Amino acid sequence: MTGANAVEARSGTSSPSRRGLLSVLGIVVFGAIWEAVATLGPDFMARPSRVAGALPAVVSDPAFWSIAGKTFGAVAIGLSAACIVGTLSGLVMGQVRVIGTAASPYLGALYSLPMVAITPLLTVWFGFNATTRLAVVFLSAIFPITLNALDGSREAPADLLEVGRSFRSGRALLWRDVVAPSALPFIMAGVRLAAGRALVGAVVAEFLTATEGLGYYILFESRSFRQDNAMVGVILLASIGLLISSGLEQAARRLFPWTKL
Amino acid sequence: MALAAWSLAASSTERVVLVGPLETARRAIELLGDPALWEALASSGLLWVSGLTASVALGVPCGLALGRSETARAMFGPLVTASYATPMVAVIPFILSMLGFGATPKALVVFLFAVFPIVINTAEGARNTPRQLVEVAASFRSSGWATTRDVVLPSTFPFIMTGTRQAIARALVGTIAAEFFLSSTGVGQLLILMSRRFDTAGSLALTGMLALAGACVMAAGRRAERRFAAWKVEP
């Protein structure tokens, strides 16, 4: 990422204001194509002009926000729990070799498994309710975090650890000064990955269990031929996704300037 | 040890909820002898491959264009980044009401899940092509197209592999989601049917197979990525 910025700075032919103008132009072109395609399709199809018209009404409706809050609340709780459990278990696995070796094949398989696939099974376990959604979010989020914490804590430079030990630095100090700084950027990257998966998991769970939330709102509105309202939901979901991922990226760049991931 | 914990948990809960490893294994063997499983795997596999192929075929040229042209990047870069962050499951209801049931809408879902990491990584790679190389090509009066093909594409290749590796995993999620929510086929249909019949052993067995298949394709993707990483030119 830093390399990319350097390229941008070097070429220097376009000022920020020109870039801003062009990005607006890009959105206009995209919207125009969408509008043109939509006029060919059936009348209920969402089109930018009508989505813009529906936006104020949907956004000013408190019911919409309470529905959206349920989804984002579940994502926040599930993701936080996954962060805590994932980081701790990953670090332990990275440091205690026996556990790490025993667990890593399972972790790899669980990481590769699309958690969407176990949603039907989770409905058998927890029912068609918000608990299933929380479980899907948690399970979607935890494995990227655990795996990255595991990899990150193993990345601690061996020579630094050795130097630390030869200066009789205690385990706690080594963790704070050597292991944590090298593992944290990895964990942060894992959290970013997990956040995207958590959002997908929440929406899938809502689709499948008809639990109240933004995903179900989108499904219901589009089934009721109110696609413009549904599209507002998609836009909110996309904005939150973008906000989380760019926010975490900025935070990582500021907090851990010593690594580039 | 994991197996022991599993059997212990299974013996203390109801059969519908959790079954032990032995019964799951028995059900897995039963499933492996069932042609329905192989049909489901084949149809899901086909969906996954077609969506992924389409996303590479379209994503790479788009990424190259974004990486090469500063104007294109300024215009569409933000849109691509936003699309990448959008949970694509949310557009499934729209695809359903526009395109209905059939193979094409499902392939479109897989495509939408997979294409953006490829576009973003390709663009990143094309932008990181060493300037000297591009300048030398230009001073030999190489046309824009020839430069893209002979200079930019090879140096972008490791980035394309990284994007494809990410796309492999996302396409897998897209495949299952498409099979759940559009016309029900393949592994997705099987999973839903099993949970409706409270066939927990079948669900667990199939989930295990899916995890294994996922781990295999992801390992293959990682290996391919590493193989081409040697080409990577550090900017």
Side-chain angles (χ1 to χ4, degrees):
Chain A
M1 272 309 188
T2 40
N5 288 339
V7 171
E8 231 160 61
R10 233 184 305 155
S11 57
T13 42
S14 77
S15 60
S17 66
R18 181 163 174 268
R19 266 211 302 280
L21 211 66
L22 281 171
S23 75
V24 172
L25 188 67
I27 292 168
V28 170
V29 169
F30 175 71
I33 294 172
W34 177 6
E35 188 86 37
V37 171
T39 47
L40 299 176
D43 189 52
F44 59 82
M45 194 171 160
R47 53 195 69 178
S49 53
R50 287 204 306 236
V51 172
L55 191 75
V58 174
V59 172
S60 61
D61 184 4
F64 175 72
W65 292 106
S66 93
I67 285 171
K70 289 198 169 114
T71 301
F72 296 130
V75 169
I77 296 170
L79 191 59
S80 313
C83 280
I84 296 167
V85 179
T87 305
L88 288 179
S89 59
L91 288 179
V92 168
M93 283 176 209
Q95 293 302 302
V96 187
R97 190 125 297 196
V98 189
I99 304 178
T101 322
S104 66
Y106 300 106
L107 272 182
L110 285 168
Y111 174 74
S112 321
L113 175 71
M115 282 301 158
V116 175
I118 62 161
T119 316
L121 185 61
L122 291 174
T123 61
V124 175
W125 288 352
F126 300 111
F128 287 83
N129 52 33
T131 317
T132 297
R133 176 175 60 196
L134 197 61
V136 176
V137 169
F138 176 76
L139 287 173
S140 306
I142 188 168
F143 295 108
I145 301 176
T146 309
L147 219 59
N148 275 38
L150 171 66
D151 288 342
S153 71
R154 280 185 181 161
E155 283 300 303
D159 42 351
L160 288 187
L161 282 174
E162 216 164 284
V163 169
R165 273 197 210 102
S166 65
F167 278 97
R168 299 182 52 86
S169 160
R171 187 163 264 259
L173 271 179
L174 275 180
W175 269 71
R176 201 194 65 191
D177 294 337
V178 182
V179 179
S182 74
L184 276 173
F186 277 86
I187 295 171
M188 202 70 161
V191 174
R192 246 183 93 193
L193 209 62
R197 287 178 165 215
L199 277 177
V200 173
V203 174
V204 166
E206 284 175 16
F207 280 1
L208 212 63
T209 62
T211 305
E212 197 183 36
L214 200 52
Y216 186 65
Y217 175 84
I218 292 167
L219 187 66
F220 185 80
E221 291 294 297
S222 83
R223 273 190 190 156
S224 321
F225 299 102
R226 287 190 296 269
Q227 284 204 356
D228 303 313
N229 288 3
M231 199 45 92
V232 176
V234 175
I235 292 171
L236 178 62
L237 210 54
S239 319
I240 297 290
L242 197 60
L243 206 69
I244 297 176
S245 90
S246 64
L248 286 174
E249 196 185 326
Q250 291 294 327
R253 214 177 286 163
R254 188 145 317 158
L255 293 173
F256 322 119
W258 58 86
T259 43
K260 48 173 196 172
L261 275 177
Chain B
M1 218 166 76
L3 284 177
W6 180 6
S7 352
L8 204 69
S11 60
S12 59
T13 42
E14 245 178 289
R15 262 188 52 87
V16 180
V17 179
L18 193 60
V19 294
L22 270 179
E23 199 179 333
T24 306
R26 205 176 304 135
R27 186 81 178 90
I29 292 165
E30 209 176 290
L31 275 174
L32 286 174
D34 187 352
L37 172 78
W38 297 103
E39 273 163 34
L41 282 176
S43 106
S44 295
L46 186 67
L47 177 59
W48 177 73
V49 167
S50 54
L52 197 59
T53 313
S55 60
V56 174
L58 278 166
V60 170
C62 288
L64 284 176
L66 281 186
R68 291 278 281 147
S69 152
E70 208 177 320
T71 314
R73 191 158 64 239
M75 274 175 78
F76 298 110
L79 277 175
V80 170
T81 315
S83 311
Y84 178 62
T86 305
M88 280 297 164
V89 247
V91 303
I92 291 181
F94 299 91
I95 292 174
L96 178 63
S97 61
M98 290 298 102
L99 299 170
F101 298 101
T104 323
K106 278 187 288 189
L108 180 64
V109 170
V110 179
F111 169 78
L112 285 175
F113 266 82
V115 72
F116 292 105
I118 297 180
V119 174
I120 286 178
N121 280 290
T122 308
E124 183 79 13
R127 207 153 60 150
N128 282 340
T129 307
R131 269 172 86 82
Q132 303 93 303
L133 295 182
V134 179
E135 270 163 23
V136 167
S139 65
F140 277 99
R141 296 179 55 85
S142 159
S143 66
W145 161 242
T147 309
T148 303
R149 191 192 55 203
D150 297 334
V151 179
V152 179
L153 190 59
S155 96
T156 307
F157 209 77
F159 291 86
I160 297 177
M161 294 314 292
T162 303
T164 307
R165 196 224 344 128
Q166 289 172 15
I168 284 175
R170 285 179 146 229
L172 218 53
V173 179
T175 303
I176 301 290
E179 287 176 343
F180 277 177
F181 304 121
L182 296 172
S183 64
S184 198
T185 53
V187 176
Q189 182 190 34
L190 221 51
L191 282 167
I192 294 228
L193 285 179
M194 282 168 170
S195 85
R196 285 208 188 124
R197 289 181 195 139
F198 295 103
D199 180 3
T200 309
S203 290
L204 285 173
L206 188 55
T207 306
M209 291 177 202
L210 199 61
L212 201 67
C216 285
V217 291
M218 277 173 83
R222 256 194 298 274
R223 181 163 292 182
E225 186 190 5
R226 218 168 301 140
R227 179 153 158 46
F228 289 104
W231 291 11
K232 212 166 200 162
V233 192
E234 286 302 325

